[in-house]
Amino acid sequence: MRLIGRDRLRDLQSSDEQVKKWLLNWVAEVINAQWKHPSDVVSQFPNIRKGSDGHFIFPIGNCNWAVCLLIAFPQGIALITDLEAKDGIHGN
């Protein structure tokens, strides 16, 4: 997958060492993914929340944040659209 919007992760990468490690591994997995259908994403990441129209929310390890991802399966593109806090406050 082509991953767009990695700059949105910058603030979290400098926070906690576990979060940084999780993000680095997650980015590597997304880039190397060959997802063709939403079920492929759910199979690889069973703890995600699936939204509508190709939107997925990936909880980040044991922290209070999640990465919001929009996937265009036919084009092989994944776009980081937002960071979401468990309390409902969105990132920028």
Side-chain angles (χ1 to χ4, degrees):
M1 299 296 287
R2 182 171 167 219
L3 182 60
I4 300 171
R6 285 183 252 185
D7 56 318
R8 290 184 172 270
L9 304 176
R10 194 171 302 132
D11 290 340
L12 286 178
Q13 287 178 330
S14 63
S15 60
D16 178 82
E17 193 60 36
Q18 278 191 321
V19 170
K20 182 178 179 177
K21 184 176 179 180
W22 186 94
L23 287 170
L24 290 172
N25 288 330
W26 179 80
V27 166
E29 285 194 53
V30 172
I31 290 171
N32 290 303
Q34 300 292 322
W35 300 324
K36 301 297 181 198
H37 306 283
S39 60
D40 297 337
V41 183
V42 175
S43 293
Q44 187 170 351
F45 293 95
N47 65 336
I48 64 167
R49 291 181 305 188
K50 185 177 175 275
S52 61
D53 300 327
H55 286 87
F56 298 87
I57 300 171
F58 294 78
I60 299 173
N62 293 326
C63 81
N64 194 40
W65 290 93
V67 178
C68 302
L69 195 67
L70 173 62
I71 302 173
F73 292 98
Q75 293 82 10
I77 297 173
L79 172 65
I80 298 171
T81 59
D82 205 356
L83 295 176
E84 181 180 278
K86 290 181 183 175
D87 58 13
I89 299 171
H90 285 17
N92 32 345

